[in-house]
Amino acid sequence: MQQVVDFILELDKLKGVTRKTKPLGLERYENSAEHSWQLAMLASALVRFAEQPIDLDRVISMLLVHDVGEIDTGDTMVFVEGGWEERKAAELLAVQRIFGMLPDPQGARLLSLWQEFESGETAEARFAHAVDRAMPVLINLASGGQSWRENGISHERVLRRVAPPIREGCPALWTYLEARLDDAKRQGWFGVTSAAGS
Amino acid sequence: MQQVVDFILELDKLKGVTRKTKPLGLERYENSAEHSWQLAMLASALVRFAEQPIDLDRVISMLLVHDVGEIDTGDTMVFVEGGWEERKAAELLAVQRIFGMLPDPQGARLLSLWQEFESGETAEARFAHAVDRAMPVLINLASGGQSWRENGISHERVLRRVAPPIREGCPALWTYLEARLDDAKRQGWFGVTSAAGS
């Protein structure tokens, strides 16, 4: 039992990993724990639009664990260009450490879910990726582009990063977002693209 | 698709519903969205200790939705004595409004999960209740009783509120917690009980 307790207190640290988006109406930045909760809820709401029939429960469990490695590495904005492989290697070490705090089969199950998400090969993982990429876009569309403007993210850069995974995992969601993003561009909700790698 | 988007942006408000416990090492109070995420993770870690075999996926989905009504009602500490039925009625109206934003079957599924949790009759709901009651206790045991001391909650009052549901849904966890709570009492981590109803 002490292993379970040590594990859940270690996970408490994800509440302190901050992202670039702010919850609507709040001044603080969102953290990766509440973000993970919201992704699970978005998957539940969106399941009828998945590109093919999927096991929603596995999608939810993947989304709940997919950011746990950030406890050691911190959050990295999806628009950062360089060093992706190094960060993913560091995240793998982190989740091996953290899920390894639990005895098997519970620890192995969580690591397997994390790896399924990262590999992106199953229909469930592709849907989960679509959900993960779409959520900050939806928040930005509701906030007038708060994190795009603060971080100098252009319309073109958003499209390049989010269109392929969303189109692949949830085509109907991409059809919806493409039109909304065009409208956001007309409204001036994007930043000016800064130098590559920033 | 617009219904899904309106729904998930409505859920964003749960990030702004604050509870009485603070994440370990942070100065702010925890919110009900990140709390819901942590409960789902605790259920995953603890499942081998459930009182009887359970469907973990349903437990997780219940825990993710069980606090959504607080978007309209706010969080109520479990130690508040009076007005429980009125608050539960208000929460029911809230979740009917919020889950009703989604078309069925997704909206009906979420409402059904919320009702299963509230009824507390299935083995899954009982395990979910044990998890929900245990998490703030575990945080208090790691913080020297932060929310117990701030709110004048005595050792006796904690036992009265959390022992029955935890013992029923996860007996091994109660065995563990009972000893830890006795030790916390010796350490002076509880508040002085204030007037009933406060």
Side-chain angles (χ1 to χ4, degrees):
Chain A
M1 186 60 74
Q2 189 61 46
Q3 289 173 300
V4 170
V5 173
D6 292 341
F7 171 76
I8 202 67
L9 295 178
E10 180 69 21
L11 287 195
D12 210 61
K13 296 177 183 170
L14 199 64
K15 300 173 185 171
V17 175
T18 49
R19 296 166 42 82
K20 300 299 185 192
T21 40
K22 295 178 179 176
L24 297 170
L26 300 183
E27 278 311 300
R28 66 173 178 84
Y29 289 93
E30 114 180 298
N31 68 66
S32 292
E34 62 196 346
H35 164 68
S36 298
W37 168 80
Q38 192 171 31
L39 295 184
M41 295 306 300
L42 179 55
S44 296
L46 199 61
V47 63
R48 65 159 65 190
F49 296 108
E51 193 270 338
Q52 63 186 88
I54 51 162
D55 177 350
L56 174 62
D57 289 323
R58 215 162 78 245
V59 173
I60 289 173
S61 289
M62 262 187 256
L63 289 168
L64 293 176
V65 302
H66 84 292
D67 272 345
V68 163
E70 295 178 358
I71 286 173
D72 287 354
T73 67
D75 176 60
T76 302
M77 204 183 192
V78 71
F79 301 105
V80 172
E81 306 278 349
W84 194 255
E85 284 183 20
E86 291 77 0
R87 282 193 298 278
K88 285 297 159 189
E91 276 192 39
L92 174 60
L93 285 176
V95 293
Q96 286 172 333
R97 177 185 75 75
I98 296 165
F99 297 140
M101 296 174 71
L102 279 184
D104 292 332
Q106 281 75 42
R109 172 180 169 271
L110 297 178
L111 184 60
S112 165
L113 287 163
W114 185 91
Q115 286 170 321
E116 182 179 350
F117 179 87
E118 284 300 313
S119 301
E121 289 165 5
T122 63
E124 282 76 13
R126 287 195 297 270
F127 183 66
H129 276 272
V131 168
D132 185 35
R133 292 295 170 91
M135 195 63 241
V137 174
L138 290 169
I139 292 180
N140 268 299
L141 288 172
S143 71
Q146 167 259 321
S147 86
W148 295 329
R149 292 204 268 202
E150 287 184 10
N151 296 281
I153 307 297
S154 68
H155 177 262
E156 176 195 27
R157 208 157 157 196
V158 172
L159 257 59
R160 193 166 68 233
R161 282 295 190 184
V162 310
I166 299 175
R167 193 187 284 129
E168 194 177 1
C170 193
L173 179 58
W174 180 247
T175 302
Y176 170 89
L177 286 177
E178 192 169 26
R180 296 279 318 265
L181 287 165
D182 280 349
D183 189 53
K185 187 179 181 185
R186 280 190 291 276
Q187 306 268 357
W189 289 355
F190 292 93
V192 177
T193 303
S194 51
S198 69
Chain B
M1 185 60 75
Q2 190 60 49
Q3 289 173 301
V4 171
V5 173
D6 292 342
F7 171 75
I8 202 66
L9 296 178
E10 180 68 21
L11 287 196
D12 210 61
K13 295 177 183 169
L14 199 63
K15 300 173 184 171
V17 175
T18 49
R19 297 168 40 83
K20 300 299 186 193
T21 40
K22 295 178 178 177
L24 297 171
L26 300 183
E27 278 311 301
R28 65 174 178 84
Y29 290 94
E30 115 180 296
N31 67 67
S32 292
E34 62 196 347
H35 164 68
S36 298
W37 168 80
Q38 193 171 32
L39 294 184
M41 295 305 300
L42 179 55
S44 297
L46 200 61
V47 63
R48 66 159 66 189
F49 296 108
E51 193 270 338
Q52 63 187 86
I54 52 163
D55 177 348
L56 174 62
D57 289 323
R58 215 162 80 244
V59 173
I60 290 173
S61 288
M62 262 188 258
L63 289 167
L64 293 176
V65 302
H66 83 292
D67 272 346
V68 164
E70 296 178 358
I71 287 172
D72 287 354
T73 67
D75 176 61
T76 302
M77 204 182 191
V78 70
F79 301 105
V80 172
E81 305 278 350
W84 194 255
E85 284 182 22
E86 290 78 359
R87 281 193 299 278
K88 284 296 159 192
E91 276 191 40
L92 174 60
L93 285 177
V95 293
Q96 285 171 334
R97 177 184 76 75
I98 296 165
F99 297 141
M101 295 175 71
L102 279 184
D104 292 333
Q106 281 75 42
R109 172 179 169 272
L110 298 177
L111 185 60
S112 164
L113 287 163
W114 186 90
Q115 287 171 321
E116 182 179 351
F117 180 88
E118 285 300 313
S119 302
E121 289 166 5
T122 62
E124 283 76 13
R126 287 196 297 270
F127 183 66
H129 276 273
V131 168
D132 185 36
R133 293 295 171 91
M135 195 64 241
V137 173
L138 290 170
I139 292 179
N140 267 300
L141 288 172
S143 71
Q146 167 259 323
S147 85
W148 296 329
R149 292 203 268 202
E150 287 183 10
N151 296 281
I153 307 296
S154 68
H155 177 261
E156 177 195 26
R157 208 158 156 197
V158 172
L159 257 59
R160 193 166 68 234
R161 283 294 191 183
V162 311
I166 299 176
R167 192 186 285 127
E168 193 177 0
C170 193
L173 179 58
W174 180 247
T175 303
Y176 170 89
L177 286 177
E178 191 168 28
R180 295 279 319 265
L181 287 164
D182 280 350
D183 190 52
K185 187 178 182 184
R186 280 190 291 274
Q187 305 270 358
W189 289 354
F190 292 93
V192 177
T193 302
S194 50
S198 68

